[in-house]
């Protein structure tokens, strides 16, 4: 049985942790004036500063050694070259082929996948061109001005996040909407804003069987057809499908000509680079979509070719492992200081937690170490006024990633300075904290004395020593966003590789789906519900008695 914790490399990290666990970041900075110089990396227009992490030279070297011991290089190659590394589903993991810009061969199952990839990209390009030029018209002859993506999970979060992030690149006159939740309020509120004559629905589902998406897609079709004069044949001009399942797409009534295909070697949460990204291309233009692919490709090259000690995704991942497995950290906050990136934490939640929220190793054993942390966050400065209190003075250690562009895309440069001043201040405050001595000095002129002073003292102390990464992006462009997303994708990959878990399946979503089907049938019957545990029976009967039907 594989045992990560029994390896010499793990043991050496444990031993070193015991020595430096209580060393304060202040001390590390005082001792080493070159820390920033040593612990930051520039990649194109991105600067990654990891100097405010609780590592010294030895810890850094040991973390890199662990990555080497885990044969990370070979594991990276296995992904890029189409080995079936998603072992529980028998699939390759080739989202990198979707952004393989020099179009080198990528052989999977004896066949180069690039001709198919490029054929779909071409089809997307032509479609986007026709919609933007007005050549593609709705059934009443009007051009399309509203794009509605209906999808959930990976078929929603990535495109929604990117469209929000790249709003400054949106095509004039084009708006994009996202419907994901099976809660009928989601679709109802969205449809209120739409005119069917100018709306194009993209039904985005890898499997084309997902309950939420199929329910919303049918509701959208019903809405469309119920409006005066609309016929089944008109559906072809207002509905397209983004899927791997041609049969289900035709069954739904979407013309296969309007289907944009992808393949089972694209994981749902890694699919925004595929046909699932059509809403992005329609919103910001195909040229910008391609630039985003280009930015991701550049990060792929960096990840594949750069030595681990200078490799951003590898370093991010190993630092995460350092905290989760040695400092017993349970959560990791990601705080973008840029409103256009407000959906980035939500996107990362699926990427990271659906990938690495696993407790079984690739060999089928229950692991005896912690794996993926809870990933969470909202944009700054809003975050400062809600949960930063807990990060600064609570009882948990929470590492934070700060992300911000240097240039704002709004006119308010003055406000951008205020925004970034806050971000820099937060990372400094988290690192340094405020000592008891500093608080005493601060209070010395306040008139507080004796017991009164002692009582308030601890409330004003900040322990600090909170590890943070800062990612500064020159400007949030399609290229830099592509690189940023790929950077986190690869971080997640590295952590899964070290933990020896399969980051590419998601069996944990199945049980709830099965039970929901059964419960839905029970809610529709008149019989007393008694087949569940006492709590579930009670809730179901109470719901039925009180839902007014
Ligand atoms: O939540 C489970 C999941 O399978 C995700 O992995 C996926 O992104 C989402 O559902 C949507 O799946 P589909 O694209 O097949 O509708």
């Amino acid at each position: 049985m594989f045992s990560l914790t029994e390896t010499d490399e793990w043991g050496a990290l444990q031993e070193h942790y015991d020595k430096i666990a209580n060393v304060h970041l202040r001390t590390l900075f005082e001792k080493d004036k070159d820390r920033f110089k040593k612990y930051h990396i520039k990649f194109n227009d991105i600067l990654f500063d990891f100097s405010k992490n609780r590592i010294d030279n030895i810890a850094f070297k040991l973390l890199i050694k662990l990555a080497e011991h885990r044969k990370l290089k070979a594991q990276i190659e296995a992904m890029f070259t189409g080995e079936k590394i998603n072992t529980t589903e028998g699939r390759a993991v080739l989202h990198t082929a979707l952004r393989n810009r020099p179009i080198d061969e990528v052989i999977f199952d004896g066949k180069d996948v690039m001709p198919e990839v490029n054929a779909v990209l071409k089809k997307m390009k032509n479609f986007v061109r026709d919609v933007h030029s007005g050549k593609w018209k709705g059934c009443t002859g009007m051009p399309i001005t509203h794009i509605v993506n209906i999808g959930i999970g990976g078929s929603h979060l990535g495109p929604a996040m990117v469209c929000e992030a790249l709003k400054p690149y949106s095509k004039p006159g084009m708006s994009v909407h996202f419907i994901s939740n099976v809660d009928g309020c989601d679709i109802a509120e969205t449809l209120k804003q739409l005119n069917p004559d100018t709306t194009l629905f993209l039904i985005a589902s890898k499997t084309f069987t997902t309950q939420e998406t199929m329910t919303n897609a049918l509701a959208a079709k019903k809405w469309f057809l119920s409006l005066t004069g609309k016929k089944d044949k008109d559906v072809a001009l207002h509905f397209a499908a983004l899927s791997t399942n041609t049969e289900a797409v035709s069954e739904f009534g979407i013309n296969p000509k309007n289907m944009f295909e992808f393949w089972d070697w694209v994981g749902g949460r890694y699919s925004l680079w595929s046909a699932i990204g059509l809403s992005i291309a329609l919103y910001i233009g195909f040229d910008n979509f391609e630039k985003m692919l280009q930015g991701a490709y550049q990060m792929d090259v960096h990840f594949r070719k750069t030595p681990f000690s200078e490799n951003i995704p590898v370093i991010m991942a190993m630092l995460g492992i350092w905290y989760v497995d040695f400092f017993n950290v349970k959560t990791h906050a990601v705080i973008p200081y840029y409103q256009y990136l407000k959906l980035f934490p939500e996107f990362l939640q699926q990427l990271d937690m659906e990938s690495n929220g696993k407790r079984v190793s690739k060999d089928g054993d229950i692991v005896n170490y912690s794996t993926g942390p809870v990933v969470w966050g909202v944009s700054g400065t809003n975050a400062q006024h809600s949960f930063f209190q807990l990060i600064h003075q609570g009882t948990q250690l929470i590492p934070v990633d700060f992300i911000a562009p240097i240039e704002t895309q709004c006119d308010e440069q003055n406000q951008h300075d205020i925004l970034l001043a806050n971000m820099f201040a937060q990372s400094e405050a988290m690192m340094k904290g405020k000592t008891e001595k500093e608080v005493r000095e601060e209070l010395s002129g306040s008139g507080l004395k004796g017991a009164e002073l002692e009582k308030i003292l601890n409330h004003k102390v900040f322990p600090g020593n909170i590890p943070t990464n800062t990612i500064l992006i020159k400007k949030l462009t399609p290229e830099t966003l592509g690189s940023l997303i790929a950077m986190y994708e690869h971080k997640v990959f590295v952590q899964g590789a070290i933990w020896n878990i399969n980051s590419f399946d998601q069996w944990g979503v199945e049980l709830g789906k099965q039970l929901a089907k059964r419960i839905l049938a029970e809610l529709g019957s008149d019989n007393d519900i008694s087949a569940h545990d006492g709590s579930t029976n009670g809730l179901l009967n109470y719901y039925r008695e009180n839902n007014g039907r």
Side-chain angles (χ1 to χ4, degrees), residues 152-155 204-208 210 213 268-269 350 354 506 509 513:
I152 197 163
S155 302
S205 176
K206 180 175 169 179
T207 54
F208 230 72
T210 304
T213 303
R269 51 196 174 274
Q350 187 201 14
E354 203 173 69
Q506 55 283 318
V509 298
K513 281 192 203 169

Side-chain angles (χ1 to χ4, degrees), residues 92-108:
V93 174
L94 273 176
H95 48 278
T96 50
L98 301 167
R99 55 214 193 195
N100 170 22
R101 301 323 285 152
I103 317 181
D104 297 336
E105 271 189 352
V106 178
I107 304 295
F108 168 60

Side-chain angles (χ1 to χ4, degrees), residues 191-446:
L191 293 180
K192 275 184 200 165
Q193 309 164 43
L194 301 172
N195 171 0
D197 297 340
T198 53
T199 298
L200 175 72
F201 291 98
L202 304 176
I203 313 303
S205 176
K206 180 175 169 179
T207 54
F208 230 72
T209 57
T210 304
Q211 185 193 44
E212 292 89 336
T213 303
M214 290 303 107
T215 307
N216 280 324
L218 284 170
K221 194 168 148 188
K222 197 167 151 207
W223 172 82
F224 177 78
L225 292 173
S226 71
L227 296 168
T228 9
K230 304 291 181 291
K231 308 248 162 42
D232 259 334
K233 70 167 179 40
D234 298 325
V235 166
L237 295 172
H238 293 269
F239 283 77
L242 324 173
S243 186
T244 59
N245 188 345
T246 319
E247 223 173 82
V249 167
S250 327
E251 231 168 77
F252 180 85
I254 292 180
N255 187 338
K257 273 199 208 148
N258 297 354
M259 171 172 166
F260 296 82
E261 195 197 357
F262 61 111
W263 308 272
D264 70 5
W265 42 259
V266 182
R269 51 196 174 274
Y270 300 86
S271 63
L272 69 91
W273 320 101
S274 71
I276 289 291
L278 188 59
S279 54
I280 304 172
L282 283 163
Y283 187 53
I284 62 170
F286 192 81
D287 50 342
N288 282 323
F289 182 72
E290 271 192 311
K291 285 181 188 164
M292 188 184 71
L293 299 184
Q294 181 68 33
Y297 168 73
Q298 282 163 8
M299 182 52 75
D300 292 344
V301 174
H302 167 84
F303 178 53
R304 202 172 172 184
K305 306 279 182 213
T306 312
F308 293 162
S309 59
E310 295 155 39
N311 191 313
I312 302 176
V314 173
I315 294 170
M316 284 177 96
M318 297 315 294
L319 289 169
I321 288 174
W322 180 230
Y323 298 123
V324 166
D325 291 300
F326 298 91
F327 287 76
N328 200 20
V329 149
K330 301 288 178 218
T331 85
H332 189 115
V334 179
I335 314 292
Y337 274 70
Y338 202 40
Q339 201 58 10
Y340 289 125
L341 280 174
K342 69 176 181 195
L343 297 181
F344 197 64
E346 206 181 322
F347 162 75
L348 278 187
Q349 288 187 322
Q350 187 201 14
L351 177 66
D352 201 315
M353 295 201 272
E354 203 173 69
S355 297
N356 287 341
K358 316 277 164 72
R359 72 190 212 301
V360 179
S361 77
K362 283 184 192 161
D363 311 310
D365 304 312
I366 306 294
V367 299
N368 63 350
Y369 42 85
S370 294
T371 60
V374 172
V375 174
W376 59 290
V378 299
S379 55
T381 59
N382 292 4
Q384 292 173 205
H385 297 272
S386 58
F387 53 77
F388 269 30
Q389 165 64 38
L390 184 146
I391 298 183
H392 282 293
Q393 290 189 314
T395 52
Q396 301 193 34
L397 180 66
I398 302 176
V400 181
D401 288 356
F402 292 106
I403 308 171
I406 293 172
E407 253 177 66
T408 177
Q409 284 148 305
C410 305
D411 291 337
E412 305 299 332
Q413 186 56 47
N414 168 39
Q415 290 203 202
H416 196 63
D417 286 349
I418 300 174
L419 177 73
L420 282 244
N422 271 280
M423 183 186 80
F424 294 129
Q426 288 298 332
S427 83
E428 186 177 20
M430 286 182 190
M431 186 276 277
K432 276 187 159 171
K434 196 192 272 182
T435 63
E436 189 188 311
K437 189 167 165 257
E438 286 165 343
V439 177
R440 278 188 196 282
E441 275 163 22
E442 205 175 82
L443 292 178
S444 61
S446 70

